[in-house]
Amino acid sequence: AALDACIARDPRSCTCLGKRAAVRLRLADLARATSDAKAAIDASCALDAGSPRLRESAALAFAESGDTARATAALDGASDRESNPKLVYADALVHAQSGDAAGAEALAKKAVDLGAGRDAKLLLAQLLIGRGANDDARAVLKELVDAGVTSVRTSLPSLEEVYVQMIGDRGLTV
C-alpha cells in the first residue's frame, strides 16, 4: 500500500517503481512486476549503480516474461553482473530462452552457488534433466525438498515446444 501511495504521488518515481516490481516478483505477480519495470524504463529511470534493486527487478521481470532483449539491456553494464545472484539467475534465464542450454546451466549453477535460491535451483534441475543428468538433478531437487519446498508453479509448454519435441527442429520458421 505504501508503494502504491508513493507511485500515486509520483508515477515516475524510479525508487518506488523498482521496489514495487521487486515486491511483485516475490509475490509471483509477473505481469504486474513486468509492467512496473517497463514503467520505470519508460520514466527514463537509470539502470545504474544507484538503482541496483531496479536493475535486479527489471532483469528478472523481463527474463521471466521471456523478453530477452529487455532483460539483456537491464543486465548490460551492471558492475555486479557476475557476483549478484539475482542478476546471474536472470542471465541464466536469458541463455535458456535463447537456446544456450550449456551456458544457462553454467550460469544457473553459479547463481545457486551464490545463493540465488529456489528458482535458480529449479532452473538448474530443469536444465540437468534436459541433458539427461538425472542423478545431478535429483540431488538439486532433494536440496529443495529438504529445505521445505514442496510445491512449485509450472506452465504448459508452448505449441512450438511441443512441436519441436515431437517432430524435431528442422529449421522451420514462421
Side-chain angles (χ1 to χ4, degrees):
L3 291 172
D4 292 336
C6 175
I7 293 169
R9 278 191 308 277
D10 181 4
R12 299 175 64 85
S13 169
C14 298
T15 301
C16 296
L17 287 166
K19 287 181 179 180
R20 189 168 75 176
V23 168
R24 287 179 167 168
L25 278 170
R26 288 183 137 259
L27 297 174
D29 188 351
L30 183 57
R32 292 171 71 190
T34 303
S35 176
D36 284 341
K38 287 179 182 173
I41 302 302
D42 292 344
S44 300
C45 297
L47 295 176
D48 57 21
S51 57
R53 179 167 289 170
L54 176 57
R55 181 182 296 280
E56 286 175 4
S57 299
L60 283 169
F62 293 139
E64 289 185 9
S65 67
D67 189 341
T68 57
R70 280 191 166 153
T72 300
L75 289 165
D76 285 346
S79 61
D80 58 348
R81 183 176 183 168
E82 300 294 320
S83 60
N84 179 318
K86 291 179 182 179
L87 295 180
V88 174
Y89 168 62
D91 207 2
L93 283 174
V94 168
H95 278 74
Q97 292 163 355
S98 300
D100 178 10
E105 183 180 325
L107 287 164
K109 178 159 183 9
K110 182 175 183 176
V112 168
D113 292 344
L114 290 170
R118 182 197 70 184
D119 292 341
K121 287 181 182 179
L122 287 170
L123 176 62
L124 178 58
Q126 175 187 357
L127 293 164
L128 290 167
I129 290 167
R131 74 169 174 87
N134 295 337
D135 289 338
D136 293 337
R138 185 176 291 112
V140 172
L141 293 172
K142 183 177 181 335
E143 285 180 35
L144 287 167
V145 171
D146 290 348
V149 176
T150 57
S151 69
V152 295
R153 288 179 300 122
T154 61
S155 61
L156 295 173
S158 69
L159 181 59
E160 177 185 7
E161 291 168 326
V162 171
Y163 177 85
V164 170
Q165 210 48 359
M166 291 178 67
I167 308 297
D169 184 2
R170 297 183 183 167
L172 300 175
T173 59
V174 177

